[in-house]
Amino acid sequence: MIQKGSADGVVGHWPEEYSKVLTDNGIEHIYYVAEGGYDFQVWKNGLYNFARRIFQ
């Protein structure tokens, strides 16, 4: 799972690059952009979605 905030000025284009490399190599993954920047609300959203998937 790769996530970034729509207004994230810290990670730059790297999440998209990681996702592209995984896709190009046929590796299943989830990539999404959440509303916000490099902040707690975005991290909380990512943690929630991660926990939902591993504790199904």
Side-chain angles (χ1 to χ4, degrees), residues 8 10 12 21 34 38 40 42 45-48 50-52 54-55:
D8 191 329
V10 175
V21 168
Y38 192 80
F40 180 74
V42 172
N45 183 26
L47 181 59
Y48 171 77
F50 175 72
R52 279 187 49 218
I54 65 169
F55 295 115

Side-chain angles (χ1 to χ4, degrees), residues 1-4 15-16 18-20 22-23 27-34 45-46 48-54 56:
M1 175 183 281
I2 302 170
Q3 173 192 312
K4 79 174 248 179
E16 291 95 344
Y18 294 148
S19 180
K20 182 180 180 326
L22 293 172
T23 299
I27 298 171
E28 188 177 327
H29 68 285
I30 298 168
Y31 171 69
Y32 69 97
V33 178
N45 183 26
Y48 171 77
N49 284 305
F50 175 72
R52 279 187 49 218
R53 285 172 174 77
I54 65 169
Q56 288 185 9

